[in-house]
Amino acid sequence: MSIHDDPNIDKPNNAEPNDDTPNGDKSRSLPDNPFAGLTRAAADSEDSDERWMEEALRLARLAELAGEVPIGAVVVSEGRYVIDTDADGRPLDRRIVDRRIIGRGHNQVVSLSDPCAHAEIQALRDAGRTLGNYRLNGCQLFVTLEPCAMCAGAIVHARIARLVFGARDPKAGAVGSIMEILNHPHLNHRIRIAEGVLAGRCMDILQSFFRQRRD
């Protein structure tokens, strides 16, 4: 059981949320190339991780309105690299453009009577339909809560390149909280991971939801 389903989950009281910086970003540097000495402007997002997490939070609020545990997720496409140059044509910087949301999802386990209808699963399904492919190579998944074991497994099967999540799930999180499914040494797919993006707001909406349920 995960926080998606359990209204009695304990909430961490000693966490220090950071809504400005994606703490714990384990993203690897870009592959070596002739521009390897350049700075990495927006190397992992077109604008910022917060931009995409804001949409995940909007979806979480939709779940809340439907009486579901408020968790939201989006899948963002790979985009493409652009090299900026100076007046003499010398490379100055590299950045990624043309990123867009290709999959959206929020918790729907109650409304669909589906134990698998977690926000991440719904977003991955939507992205797969958009691309016409179950492999989402190069894409990123943004979710308001640390994925559970089921969702972590789906992330691996989808070949997501990077996972960004907001708050940790101390009861069922499978990205380090109670187990580590992603980047397991026996798996052949590696995923870059960032956590803590808008963590305070991601946890606040969950705590508010359960507080109202108890009142």
mmCIF file of all heavy atoms in Angstrom, residues 10 19 27 30 47 73 87-88 91 97 105 123 158 163 167 169 177 191 193 198:
data_model
loop_
_atom_site.group_PDB
_atom_site.id
_atom_site.type_symbol
_atom_site.label_atom_id
_atom_site.label_comp_id
_atom_site.label_asym_id
_atom_site.label_seq_id
_atom_site.Cartn_x
_atom_site.Cartn_y
_atom_site.Cartn_z
ATOM 1 N N ASP A 10 1.917 8.336 7.900
ATOM 2 C CA ASP A 10 2.566 9.372 8.697
ATOM 3 C C ASP A 10 3.195 10.391 7.774
ATOM 4 O O ASP A 10 3.726 10.062 6.721
ATOM 5 C CB ASP A 10 3.651 8.749 9.589
ATOM 6 C CG ASP A 10 3.044 7.802 10.615
ATOM 7 O OD1 ASP A 10 1.875 8.026 10.987
ATOM 8 O OD2 ASP A 10 3.737 6.853 11.006
ATOM 9 N N ASP A 19 11.828 24.822 -2.157
ATOM 10 C CA ASP A 19 10.992 25.060 -3.328
ATOM 11 C C ASP A 19 11.751 25.764 -4.442
ATOM 12 O O ASP A 19 11.179 26.139 -5.449
ATOM 13 C CB ASP A 19 9.780 25.929 -2.946
ATOM 14 C CG ASP A 19 8.760 25.124 -2.166
ATOM 15 O OD1 ASP A 19 8.973 23.905 -2.014
ATOM 16 O OD2 ASP A 19 7.766 25.721 -1.718
ATOM 17 N N SER A 27 21.769 13.975 -11.719
ATOM 18 C CA SER A 27 21.891 13.988 -13.170
ATOM 19 C C SER A 27 23.354 13.925 -13.576
ATOM 20 O O SER A 27 24.193 14.635 -13.040
ATOM 21 C CB SER A 27 21.258 15.262 -13.738
ATOM 22 O OG SER A 27 19.912 15.325 -13.385
ATOM 23 N N LEU A 30 26.468 16.018 -19.489
ATOM 24 C CA LEU A 30 26.219 15.679 -20.879
ATOM 25 C C LEU A 30 27.395 14.909 -21.451
ATOM 26 O O LEU A 30 28.526 15.034 -20.971
ATOM 27 C CB LEU A 30 26.005 16.963 -21.687
ATOM 28 C CG LEU A 30 24.730 17.735 -21.340
ATOM 29 C CD1 LEU A 30 24.741 19.066 -22.070
ATOM 30 C CD2 LEU A 30 23.509 16.946 -21.716
ATOM 31 N N ASP A 47 13.024 25.383 -19.342
ATOM 32 C CA ASP A 47 13.008 26.554 -18.478
ATOM 33 C C ASP A 47 13.513 26.168 -17.089
ATOM 34 O O ASP A 47 14.568 26.600 -16.675
ATOM 35 C CB ASP A 47 11.594 27.136 -18.386
ATOM 36 C CG ASP A 47 11.135 27.711 -19.716
ATOM 37 O OD1 ASP A 47 11.970 28.279 -20.420
ATOM 38 O OD2 ASP A 47 9.947 27.576 -20.031
ATOM 39 N N ALA A 73 1.186 13.974 -12.088
ATOM 40 C CA ALA A 73 2.417 13.658 -12.812
ATOM 41 C C ALA A 73 2.313 14.106 -14.263
ATOM 42 O O ALA A 73 1.217 14.128 -14.834
ATOM 43 C CB ALA A 73 2.703 12.154 -12.754
ATOM 44 N N ALA A 87 29.466 36.655 -31.790
ATOM 45 C CA ALA A 87 29.446 37.331 -33.097
ATOM 46 C C ALA A 87 30.418 36.706 -34.083
ATOM 47 O O ALA A 87 30.230 36.808 -35.303
ATOM 48 C CB ALA A 87 29.754 38.812 -32.902
ATOM 49 N N ASP A 88 31.448 36.038 -33.581
ATOM 50 C CA ASP A 88 32.443 35.411 -34.451
ATOM 51 C C ASP A 88 32.144 33.942 -34.719
ATOM 52 O O ASP A 88 32.947 33.251 -35.355
ATOM 53 C CB ASP A 88 33.835 35.531 -33.820
ATOM 54 C CG ASP A 88 34.274 36.986 -33.681
ATOM 55 O OD1 ASP A 88 33.976 37.777 -34.604
ATOM 56 O OD2 ASP A 88 34.899 37.327 -32.655
ATOM 57 N N PRO A 91 31.243 28.920 -30.191
ATOM 58 C CA PRO A 91 30.180 28.410 -29.320
ATOM 59 C C PRO A 91 30.282 28.982 -27.915
ATOM 60 O O PRO A 91 31.354 29.040 -27.323
ATOM 61 C CB PRO A 91 30.411 26.897 -29.327
ATOM 62 C CG PRO A 91 31.855 26.727 -29.686
ATOM 63 C CD PRO A 91 32.181 27.854 -30.614
ATOM 64 N N VAL A 97 15.693 22.986 -26.218
ATOM 65 C CA VAL A 97 14.465 23.684 -26.569
ATOM 66 C C VAL A 97 13.439 22.659 -27.073
ATOM 67 O O VAL A 97 13.743 21.485 -27.262
ATOM 68 C CB VAL A 97 14.709 24.752 -27.650
ATOM 69 C CG1 VAL A 97 15.688 25.810 -27.142
ATOM 70 C CG2 VAL A 97 15.242 24.123 -28.940
ATOM 71 N N GLY A 105 -1.278 12.897 -15.869
ATOM 72 C CA GLY A 105 -2.033 11.943 -15.078
ATOM 73 C C GLY A 105 -2.173 12.390 -13.646
ATOM 74 O O GLY A 105 -1.348 13.158 -13.149
ATOM 75 N N ALA A 123 0.064 9.010 -16.395
ATOM 76 C CA ALA A 123 0.873 9.893 -17.240
ATOM 77 C C ALA A 123 1.685 9.090 -18.255
ATOM 78 O O ALA A 123 1.803 9.483 -19.417
ATOM 79 C CB ALA A 123 1.798 10.744 -16.364
ATOM 80 N N ALA A 158 9.378 1.820 -19.139
ATOM 81 C CA ALA A 158 9.134 2.866 -20.138
ATOM 82 C C ALA A 158 10.428 3.502 -20.635
ATOM 83 O O ALA A 158 10.416 4.275 -21.591
ATOM 84 C CB ALA A 158 8.227 3.943 -19.552
ATOM 85 N N LEU A 163 13.849 11.155 -13.743
ATOM 86 C CA LEU A 163 12.724 11.281 -12.829
ATOM 87 C C LEU A 163 12.944 12.481 -11.920
ATOM 88 O O LEU A 163 14.024 12.644 -11.350
ATOM 89 C CB LEU A 163 12.586 10.025 -11.972
ATOM 90 C CG LEU A 163 11.650 10.126 -10.760
ATOM 91 C CD1 LEU A 163 10.201 10.226 -11.214
ATOM 92 C CD2 LEU A 163 11.861 8.953 -9.823
ATOM 93 N N ALA A 167 7.899 15.570 -3.037
ATOM 94 C CA ALA A 167 8.026 15.113 -1.651
ATOM 95 C C ALA A 167 8.384 13.638 -1.593
ATOM 96 O O ALA A 167 8.055 12.862 -2.485
ATOM 97 C CB ALA A 167 6.711 15.357 -0.901
ATOM 98 N N ASP A 169 8.055 9.827 0.122
ATOM 99 C CA ASP A 169 7.017 8.991 0.709
ATOM 100 C C ASP A 169 7.695 8.026 1.684
ATOM 101 O O ASP A 169 8.233 6.988 1.275
ATOM 102 C CB ASP A 169 6.288 8.216 -0.385
ATOM 103 C CG ASP A 169 5.136 7.379 0.147
ATOM 104 O OD1 ASP A 169 5.029 7.243 1.377
ATOM 105 O OD2 ASP A 169 4.355 6.865 -0.670
ATOM 106 N N SER A 177 13.440 5.679 -0.134
ATOM 107 C CA SER A 177 12.844 5.796 1.201
ATOM 108 C C SER A 177 12.730 4.457 1.921
ATOM 109 O O SER A 177 13.172 4.317 3.060
ATOM 110 C CB SER A 177 11.466 6.473 1.115
ATOM 111 O OG SER A 177 11.611 7.849 0.846
ATOM 112 N N ILE A 191 18.601 5.721 -14.714
ATOM 113 C CA ILE A 191 17.732 6.896 -14.723
ATOM 114 C C ILE A 191 18.358 7.993 -13.879
ATOM 115 O O ILE A 191 18.797 7.750 -12.752
ATOM 116 C CB ILE A 191 16.337 6.538 -14.160
ATOM 117 C CG1 ILE A 191 15.671 5.471 -15.042
ATOM 118 C CG2 ILE A 191 15.446 7.773 -14.054
ATOM 119 C CD1 ILE A 191 14.408 4.885 -14.451
ATOM 120 N N ILE A 193 18.039 11.130 -11.482
ATOM 121 C CA ILE A 193 17.012 11.391 -10.470
ATOM 122 C C ILE A 193 17.262 12.736 -9.817
ATOM 123 O O ILE A 193 18.388 13.076 -9.465
ATOM 124 C CB ILE A 193 17.009 10.294 -9.382
ATOM 125 C CG1 ILE A 193 16.756 8.920 -10.006
ATOM 126 C CG2 ILE A 193 15.966 10.600 -8.315
ATOM 127 C CD1 ILE A 193 17.026 7.763 -9.069
ATOM 128 N N LEU A 198 9.795 21.835 -5.417
ATOM 129 C CA LEU A 198 8.528 22.296 -4.832
ATOM 130 C C LEU A 198 8.036 21.313 -3.768
ATOM 131 O O LEU A 198 6.832 21.090 -3.620
ATOM 132 C CB LEU A 198 7.466 22.506 -5.919
ATOM 133 C CG LEU A 198 7.827 23.473 -7.057
ATOM 134 C CD1 LEU A 198 6.640 23.662 -7.984
ATOM 135 C CD2 LEU A 198 8.315 24.803 -6.536
#
